[in-house]
Amino acid sequence: MTHTYQYPRAALTVDCVVFGFDEGDLKVLLIQRDLEPFSGKWALPGGFVHIKESLENAARRELAEETGLKNIFLEQLYSFGAPERDPREHIVSVAYYALVSLAEHRPQAATDARQAAWFNLDDTPDLAFDHEEILATAIARLRGKVRYEPIGFELLPSRFTLGQLQHLYQVVLEEKLDKRNFRKKILGTGLLVDTGEIQQDVAHRAARLYRFDERKYQQLRKRGFSFWL
Amino acid sequence: MTHTYQYPRAALTVDCVVFGFDEGDLKVLLIQRDLEPFSGKWALPGGFVHIKESLENAARRELAEETGLKNIFLEQLYSFGAPERDPREHIVSVAYYALVSLAEHRPQAATDARQAAWFNLDDTPDLAFDHEEILATAIARLRGKVRYEPIGFELLPSRFTLGQLQHLYQVVLEEKLDKRNFRKKILGTGLLVDTGEIQQDVAHRAARLYRFDERKYQQLRKRGFSFWL
DNA sequence: AGTCATTGTGTCTAAAATACACTATGAGTT
DNA sequence: AACTCATAGTGTATTTTAGACACAATGACT
């Protein structure tokens, strides 16, 4: 069955930049294309938006189909519509970015045949289409946003140590932070709750585990509080 | 002539939230629709994206056609794609926001037959489609961005007084600012150049006219400087 | 000469950011 | 048992930045 319109229409896709954090490095999830164009090249997970499907739903559906990831933090990034961005025809892509904790969303066996793999951010292969530009835009957004919204927690397991949190911020912001000042500031927000538990199986003094108090953050935010780092 | 595709496609539009500032108030430019759906209702200027046209070009073309505005500050805002946002069919809209100085882009005789008018932000009519949501998103973006990027200048004439600038910030941020502290901070950035001229035709002491030093800002920005207010 | 609206200017105080170094813990090694 | 190693955990003094605050200067208009 075919569909006919009076004027030509661009096709519409979604692409997702999935960031993962894993004791040490910030990574991005890529899939290897098995179809033309750019068959064999690495690309961001994504695909065509179905008719009568919201953009965010399309992004979540494609993520689930191509990478198995569900119920994760996902936010719209930017829309890319340069006419020559796809060699076939004019395809407009609405990009999203997602944050996951690698500890809680394990090795990502792609549910579908395509190969999916995590790449260190400073060691990514050449990407298909304009996906390098999309990735660069996503990195810039993550760096900018992590300072004034508590989204960094999405990259950590639900219980984490202050050391892990500081390390995450150092990797994302690409700058060294002072331990005492960092702890003072982050605990000063009152948004971290000491779970009473401590780290297990580490070859050094075990640290306390904290969790982020989402409820409290939402309450404070309504009253004009803003998160800063 | 018609165009046929294997799968149904959503249509693609752009919509523009044009903010104008005029000695006193922040306004938004709306047009009155002359076609169904929502004929007679006010709406954001915008229209269908042509095939092989970039999104930003489409926004600039529609702005020129519907409002006569050209060569203005324009930035992508967000994409709206809820399936029921247009009663006819699934139409995805990429929204942009624009900033103009009303002093330099005068009363806006719409070039095309449609009526265009500036509305005070706290006195806007009911809008067609989901344009109220788009407008709210644009206001939030403007408020957020004005603090850490020097985009406020786009709303003023190229030469302006510190009083006008302070007033603009007060209106956008909806808070009162201390005159001496404001001047100290804004002059402290080194990004304002005293043109040596002074205001004409005012019924009180005439103020110095400044201009924003765009070149210097771009240089500083490369070296990691960030604008704060 | 006086009124009016707005410009333009400096200091003191409070708050926040930054710099900085040692002891504590517990696993692993000898 | 003693030692090494890696990381956790803690406080103060200094510098920087933000915020409060009041009055004289200008120039058009009456």
Side-chain angles (χ1 to χ4, degrees):
Chain A
M1 179 163 171
T2 59
H3 301 269
T4 299
Y5 306 101
Q6 188 175 2
Y7 297 101
R9 292 187 173 188
L12 190 62
T13 60
V14 285
D15 287 303
C16 299
V17 180
V18 184
F19 290 110
F21 185 74
D22 162 12
E23 313 294 321
D25 288 303
L26 189 57
K27 296 175 190 291
V28 62
L29 182 61
L30 300 174
I31 60 161
Q32 198 164 23
R33 289 182 59 80
D34 57 356
L35 297 173
E36 288 301 331
F38 299 107
S39 178
K41 266 214 170 178
W42 292 91
L44 298 171
F48 289 96
V49 177
H50 293 176
I51 198 72
K52 300 233 168 135
E53 178 181 49
S54 77
L55 298 169
E56 180 172 328
N57 281 353
R60 291 193 184 276
R61 177 182 49 72
E62 289 288 348
L63 266 184
E65 287 175 13
E66 297 192 334
T67 72
L69 291 167
K70 288 176 192 168
N71 298 119
I72 61 176
F73 174 92
L74 183 74
E75 207 170 79
Q76 191 181 302
L77 174 63
Y78 197 78
S79 296
F80 295 82
E84 61 303 335
R85 61 179 293 282
D86 192 298
R88 296 165 288 185
E89 60 165 327
H90 192 187
I91 300 189
V92 171
S93 181
V94 181
Y96 280 76
Y97 71 102
L99 305 178
V100 300
S101 146
L102 285 196
E104 295 189 343
H105 294 97
R106 268 298 165 205
Q108 272 338 306
T111 52
D112 148 339
R114 266 166 274 203
Q115 178 159 345
W118 291 98
F119 287 83
N120 212 303
L121 264 195
D122 50 17
D123 188 32
T124 52
D126 271 5
L127 300 183
F129 307 106
D130 57 354
H131 288 188
E132 314 238 3
E133 184 187 353
I134 298 178
L135 175 58
T137 305
I139 294 170
R141 174 75 63 92
L142 177 61
R143 285 219 175 105
K145 200 143 189 173
V146 86
R147 285 182 180 276
Y148 63 89
E149 281 193 39
I151 58 173
F153 303 100
E154 302 289 344
L155 288 162
L156 291 175
S158 57
R159 285 139 203 267
F160 50 84
T161 71
L162 294 181
Q164 292 170 328
L165 185 60
Q166 181 181 348
H167 188 208
L168 164 64
Y169 273 89
Q170 290 182 164
V171 169
V172 171
L173 297 177
E174 286 184 316
E175 68 184 284
K176 192 142 186 271
L177 302 171
D178 177 85
K179 181 159 64 159
R180 279 176 291 189
N181 295 338
F182 178 82
R183 295 162 92 96
K184 203 191 311 173
K185 202 164 8 173
I186 202 87
L187 290 175
T189 64
L191 292 172
L192 293 197
V193 182
D194 185 341
T195 63
E197 295 163 83
I198 59 166
Q199 248 179 339
Q200 301 297 324
D201 304 317
V202 283
H204 53 76
R205 176 172 176 184
R208 293 164 126 74
L209 291 168
Y210 290 84
R211 65 178 179 79
F212 175 65
D213 191 339
E214 179 70 30
R215 293 176 77 91
K216 187 160 180 188
Y217 172 64
Q218 293 302 340
Q219 285 172 0
L220 287 174
R221 206 162 64 105
K222 274 183 206 150
R223 295 171 205 169
F225 164 86
S226 62
F227 179 89
W228 281 113
L229 208 106
Chain B
M1 182 166 171
T2 59
H3 302 268
T4 300
Y5 307 101
Q6 187 176 4
Y7 296 101
R9 293 188 172 187
L12 190 63
T13 60
V14 286
D15 287 303
C16 299
V17 180
V18 184
F19 291 110
F21 185 74
D22 161 13
E23 313 292 321
D25 288 304
L26 189 58
K27 296 176 190 292
V28 63
L29 183 60
L30 300 174
I31 60 161
Q32 198 164 24
R33 289 182 59 81
D34 56 356
L35 298 173
E36 287 300 332
F38 299 108
S39 176
K41 265 215 171 178
W42 292 90
L44 298 171
F48 290 95
V49 177
H50 293 176
I51 197 73
K52 299 233 169 134
E53 177 181 48
S54 78
L55 298 169
E56 181 172 327
N57 282 353
R60 291 193 184 278
R61 176 181 50 72
E62 288 289 348
L63 266 185
E65 287 175 13
E66 297 192 333
T67 71
L69 290 169
K70 288 176 194 169
N71 297 119
I72 61 177
F73 174 92
L74 183 74
E75 206 170 82
Q76 191 181 304
L77 174 63
Y78 197 78
S79 296
F80 296 83
E84 60 303 333
R85 60 178 294 281
D86 190 299
R88 295 166 287 185
E89 60 165 327
H90 193 189
I91 300 189
V92 172
S93 181
V94 182
Y96 280 77
Y97 71 102
L99 305 178
V100 301
S101 146
L102 284 197
E104 294 189 343
H105 293 97
R106 269 295 163 208
Q108 275 335 308
T111 51
D112 146 339
R114 265 166 274 202
Q115 176 157 346
W118 290 100
F119 287 82
N120 212 303
L121 265 194
D122 50 16
D123 188 32
T124 52
D126 271 6
L127 300 182
F129 307 106
D130 56 355
H131 288 189
E132 314 237 5
E133 184 187 353
I134 299 179
L135 175 58
T137 305
I139 294 170
R141 174 76 61 92
L142 176 62
R143 286 218 173 106
K145 199 144 191 173
V146 86
R147 285 182 181 276
Y148 64 90
E149 280 193 40
I151 58 173
F153 303 101
E154 303 289 342
L155 287 162
L156 291 175
S158 56
R159 286 138 203 269
F160 50 84
T161 70
L162 295 181
Q164 291 169 328
L165 185 61
Q166 180 182 347
H167 188 209
L168 164 63
Y169 272 88
Q170 291 182 163
V171 169
V172 172
L173 298 176
E174 286 185 314
E175 68 184 280
K176 192 142 185 271
L177 303 172
D178 176 84
K179 181 159 65 159
R180 279 176 290 189
N181 294 337
F182 179 82
R183 295 163 93 97
K184 204 191 312 173
K185 202 165 4 175
I186 202 88
L187 290 174
T189 64
L191 292 172
L192 292 196
V193 182
D194 185 341
T195 63
E197 296 163 84
I198 58 166
Q199 249 181 338
Q200 301 297 326
D201 305 318
V202 283
H204 53 77
R205 176 173 176 183
R208 293 164 126 74
L209 291 169
Y210 290 84
R211 65 178 179 78
F212 176 65
D213 191 340
E214 179 70 32
R215 294 177 77 91
K216 187 160 180 188
Y217 172 63
Q218 293 304 339
Q219 285 171 2
L220 287 173
R221 206 162 64 106
K222 274 182 208 150
R223 297 173 202 167
F225 164 87
S226 62
F227 179 90
W228 281 112
L229 207 107

